[in-house]
Amino acid sequence: YPDAIKDSLQGSIPLSVDWPLQTCLHARTPFFLESPADFAARWPTAAAFIATLGDRAALVLPLLFDGRPLGVLGIGFTAERHFPDDERAFVATLGEQASQALERARLFGAERAARAEAEAALRAREEFLAVASHELRTPLAALQLQIDGAGRLLRRSDSSGESSDPGEANDGPLAAQIAARLARIRVHGE
């Protein structure tokens, strides 16, 4: 088509316009237009524009997948043309194949988007777990140091028989219980 025609076709044509592509989409049935008279009889408002395209015949085919419209395929011919039944059947098969290809492409894109989203969620989860693990280990490390220090004080107190605090007496059995509890905490914390 000439550039002026291609430029006029850029963008979208409203679906409410009564033209071949829109009618085909709404009706979900193919149209085989064998001459300009067919255009003018069916779409008088579009006949002048179609004449500027240079099309003397056309076929307009809905692209459907599971009854859902995906688009419309229009093919123009520069000469008037009769469409025998075998060509019409071939065009119907072509439309089915094109519809399946469009649906597979849509599904492939959706799968890639879902995979990217899942991978991003997985990365976010792994980052969260790394930060949370670090944050949990940091206070536990400080607590472990406190436990170790208290354990050393208790062992020193038990071995010398004296209290680590000059103001307190050595409680012997209590100190042993505390030391045992601290040892259990240390084993389970590691």
Side-chain angles (χ1 to χ4, degrees), residues 10-34:
Q10 293 300 316
S12 62
I13 300 172
L15 290 176
S16 60
V17 175
D18 185 29
W19 281 24
L21 298 178
Q22 290 81 345
T23 304
C24 177
L25 184 65
H26 290 299
R28 297 181 184 188
T29 187
F31 290 102
F32 297 91
L33 306 163
E34 298 180 343

Side-chain angles (χ1 to χ4, degrees), residues 18-187:
D18 185 29
W19 281 24
L21 298 178
Q22 290 81 345
T23 304
C24 177
L25 184 65
H26 290 299
R28 297 181 184 188
T29 187
F31 290 102
F32 297 91
L33 306 163
E34 298 180 343
S35 70
D38 287 349
F39 286 109
R42 178 62 184 89
W43 292 282
T45 58
F49 177 76
I50 293 169
T52 64
L53 297 176
D55 291 345
R56 308 278 303 153
L59 61 90
V60 186
L61 187 67
L63 301 178
L64 307 170
F65 188 82
D66 286 339
R68 181 173 41 95
L70 303 177
V72 178
L73 174 65
I75 301 174
F77 299 89
T78 57
E80 291 185 13
R81 175 182 182 91
H82 172 69
F83 297 100
D85 288 342
D86 62 334
E87 284 185 13
R88 290 174 186 239
F90 171 76
V91 168
T93 301
L94 176 68
E96 290 171 8
Q97 295 294 314
S99 297
Q100 290 174 9
L102 289 170
E103 182 63 11
R104 281 192 302 273
R106 185 195 67 77
L107 290 172
F108 180 73
E111 183 272 334
R112 289 187 72 154
R115 179 180 296 191
E117 187 176 323
E119 288 172 353
L122 185 60
R123 279 191 303 277
R125 185 193 73 161
E126 288 172 354
E127 289 173 13
F128 170 77
L129 289 176
V131 169
S133 175
H134 177 269
E135 293 299 321
L136 288 173
R137 276 191 304 246
T138 302
L140 288 177
L143 181 59
Q144 188 67 45
L145 287 174
Q146 296 259 342
I147 291 170
D148 289 345
R152 279 193 297 278
L153 285 175
L154 286 174
R155 282 191 298 279
R156 197 175 319 141
S157 171
D158 284 345
S159 64
S160 68
E162 297 177 7
S163 171
S164 58
D165 185 352
E168 295 180 10
N170 187 357
D171 286 337
L174 180 59
Q177 287 177 352
I178 293 172
R181 285 184 182 156
L182 290 174
R184 279 197 309 269
I185 291 171
R186 187 176 308 120
V187 167

